[in-house]
Amino acid sequence: MDSREIAVAAFAVPVLLAVLGLWWFRRRRRDEIFEGVTPGELPALGQQVTRRRVPRGRQEYAGPVAVRFSPPDGLTPGLVGTVIDGQAHVIDVTATIIDLAVRGHLRLVAEAADPDTPPPPPRGPAPKTPVRQSDHDWRLIRLPAPDGDRLLPFEHKLLDAVFRYGPEVTVRDLKARGFDLTMREAQIGLYREVVDRGWYTKHPRDRNRRLGCLGWLLVVAAVLAALAGITARPWEPARTPMLALGAGLLFAAILLIWGGRGRTPRTAEGTAARIQALGFREYLTKAEANQIRFEEARDLFSRYLPYAMVFGVAERWARTFADVAASARLQGVGDAFFDLTWLGGFDVLGDTLGAGLQIADAVGSVADFSAGIDIPDLDLADGLGGIASSVGDFADSAGGLLDFGDGCSGCDGCDFGI
């Protein structure tokens, strides 16, 4: 072989190896799924099953999903949001707080903000998404732990962090005390939970740092090879091959650094959990009033509202239940009655809730929440839509505590060892 042929080989070999390595890694980034088992189901105890990758050209399951009429067993709203897209968003954490309120661990009460007290300045870099400013604050009141409701580890830590300084605290106080770090830890807790459950083998946002590190090592090797070629005498036969080798190593490094980035694939168990979550999302996004019995509506509205927030359909969910309540009233089944004991301060939220609720007349005082809220005939959609808007307002306020954006990338120092 002459020097020209050697130079071509010196350039082509590292590039070819990089391409083959990328092909192998990309294949392994496709989610696993159980073969011979209904999508979304887990194999029976003792059943021997085969795990395979989802079809080529896709990274996750994209087939038909069976509708679920209740949340997957043991999946809180935050876990549902995390397993669906592999990312713990700010809304997943704030929906967790609202879910804890619905389950009876705390109570959310809106109160008028002091107009003379400016909001505390944000800590760290500005959030990527502007936070909507509100004319009221939110007070969180811790309640005795309800019997039979087991907290997940990250939920327990989140509650303890919220009420670190006492049984009552406002969102404004939390922001002033640097609660953004606690919110960040809650996000990491969600990541840790999905790994501990076996849905991912490592951090869901890990971007194959090892492959990237290999790419940077190739950059160093490319520089050394290029220097060797440049410093060689023009008549030396190794000059051209070394320059070609440096170019090939540099091109291979670029392929590995940029083309090698990608998400952590789900295990077959993780794919099953995701399909179940998608099935429940189908129900929340397509449920009609005639599919919901009025006798179930009292508890169902609040229980599923945090999930609807995660899926971005809270207002639709509210409209559906307004139709349920209106239909029940027309049929003489009963009055529109929903358990909203976890939410207070309707006198402050009057404009947000709309005239449909007429809270001042229907409730009269915060103490009456123990009996729920009797919603009048008129403007039920406005009333329940106002509830959805109110929890959305709380989510915006609490989301402003997280100045880091939508969570860890898996390679920014927020590993599970904190």
Side-chain angles (χ1 to χ4, degrees):
M1 295 179 63
D2 59 21
S3 60
R4 182 174 299 178
E5 292 175 336
I6 295 175
V8 171
F11 177 85
V13 169
V15 173
L16 179 61
L17 291 176
V19 170
L20 291 175
L22 283 178
W23 173 84
W24 187 78
F25 274 103
R26 286 185 177 276
R27 181 181 179 278
R28 289 181 58 84
R29 288 189 195 131
R30 305 203 314 258
D31 288 349
E32 290 183 341
I33 192 170
F34 292 117
E35 191 169 7
V37 178
T38 302
E41 300 294 328
L42 296 173
L45 186 63
Q47 179 183 358
Q48 299 295 322
V49 293
T50 302
R51 300 166 184 259
R52 62 175 176 83
R53 302 285 176 178
V54 296
R56 186 177 303 173
R58 299 185 181 276
Q59 287 193 322
E60 56 191 14
Y61 176 79
V65 173
V67 177
R68 290 185 61 97
F69 299 97
S70 61
D73 294 340
L75 267 67
T76 64
L79 289 175
V80 164
T82 304
V83 76
I84 278 185
D85 60 5
Q87 185 167 351
H89 295 275
V90 173
I91 188 61
D92 298 331
V93 179
T94 53
T96 296
I97 296 176
I98 293 173
D99 180 56
L100 290 171
V102 172
R103 288 155 56 186
H105 292 275
L106 62 105
R107 189 159 178 258
L108 304 175
V109 180
E111 57 182 35
D114 185 356
D116 297 328
T117 304
R123 294 165 55 93
K128 296 178 181 178
T129 304
V131 179
R132 182 180 63 189
Q133 297 298 324
S134 175
D135 60 353
H136 53 266
D137 198 1
W138 287 91
R139 181 171 296 276
L140 289 72
I141 304 172
R142 189 164 194 172
L143 303 175
D147 295 334
D149 189 75
R150 186 178 67 87
L151 292 173
L152 297 175
F154 85 94
E155 292 177 324
H156 193 279
K157 291 181 180 179
L158 181 60
L159 270 179
D160 287 345
V162 168
F163 299 105
R164 181 176 300 163
Y165 299 101
E168 296 187 17
V169 66
T170 65
V171 170
R172 183 180 293 261
D173 292 337
L174 291 175
K175 190 171 184 64
R177 292 168 179 166
F179 189 70
D180 50 353
L181 295 178
T182 299
M183 293 282 282
R184 181 63 174 269
E185 290 177 4
Q187 284 185 301
I188 298 174
L190 282 170
Y191 286 129
R192 182 183 290 112
E193 185 70 25
V194 297
V195 172
D196 290 344
R197 292 185 178 218
W199 297 342
Y200 294 87
T201 57
K202 57 182 178 180
H203 196 302
R205 302 298 294 172
D206 185 275
R207 294 186 181 276
N208 290 318
R209 286 170 289 176
R210 295 175 182 174
L211 201 61
C213 290
L214 177 60
W216 286 110
L217 289 176
L218 289 182
V219 170
V220 175
V223 171
L224 294 177
L227 288 175
I230 292 173
T231 56
R233 294 183 175 87
W235 59 82
E236 290 184 357
R239 177 184 174 85
T240 300
M242 291 303 295
L243 291 174
L245 178 61
L249 289 174
L250 181 61
F251 192 72
I254 294 173
L255 287 177
L256 293 180
I257 293 172
W258 296 108
R261 302 179 67 188
R263 67 183 184 88
T264 300
R266 297 177 185 85
T267 64
E269 291 83 359
T271 296
R274 177 178 177 270
I275 293 173
Q276 292 177 21
L278 291 175
F280 186 50
R281 185 175 70 176
E282 284 289 301
Y283 169 65
L284 292 183
T285 55
K286 298 180 179 178
E288 300 295 338
N290 58 13
Q291 298 174 325
I292 301 173
R293 292 192 306 165
F294 182 70
E295 295 79 5
E296 301 174 345
R298 175 181 176 180
D299 297 326
L300 213 59
F301 173 72
S302 290
R303 266 179 34 215
Y304 292 177
L305 183 59
Y307 294 94
M309 291 176 57
V310 168
F311 296 138
V313 295
E315 293 187 3
R316 185 195 184 280
W317 185 243
R319 288 195 302 270
T320 300
F321 272 78
D323 293 341
V324 172
S327 176
R329 177 67 64 84
L330 290 175
Q331 297 174 20
V333 175
D335 291 333
F337 187 78
F338 297 93
D339 183 8
L340 300 174
T341 57
W342 52 275
L343 184 63
F346 289 106
D347 54 334
V348 176
L349 294 170
D351 292 338
T352 305
L353 291 172
L357 280 178
Q358 301 176 8
I359 295 302
D361 295 331
V363 182
S365 68
V366 174
D368 292 334
F369 275 96
S370 60
I373 295 177
D374 185 12
I375 301 177
D377 294 332
L378 303 176
D379 298 325
L380 288 170
D382 287 342
L384 290 183
I387 296 293
S389 297
S390 296
V391 296
D393 175 88
F394 170 79
D396 285 344
S397 299
L401 297 172
L402 191 58
D403 295 327
F404 292 99
D406 271 336
C408 314
S409 66
C411 56
D412 59 0
C414 59
D415 295 330
F416 293 157
I418 65 169

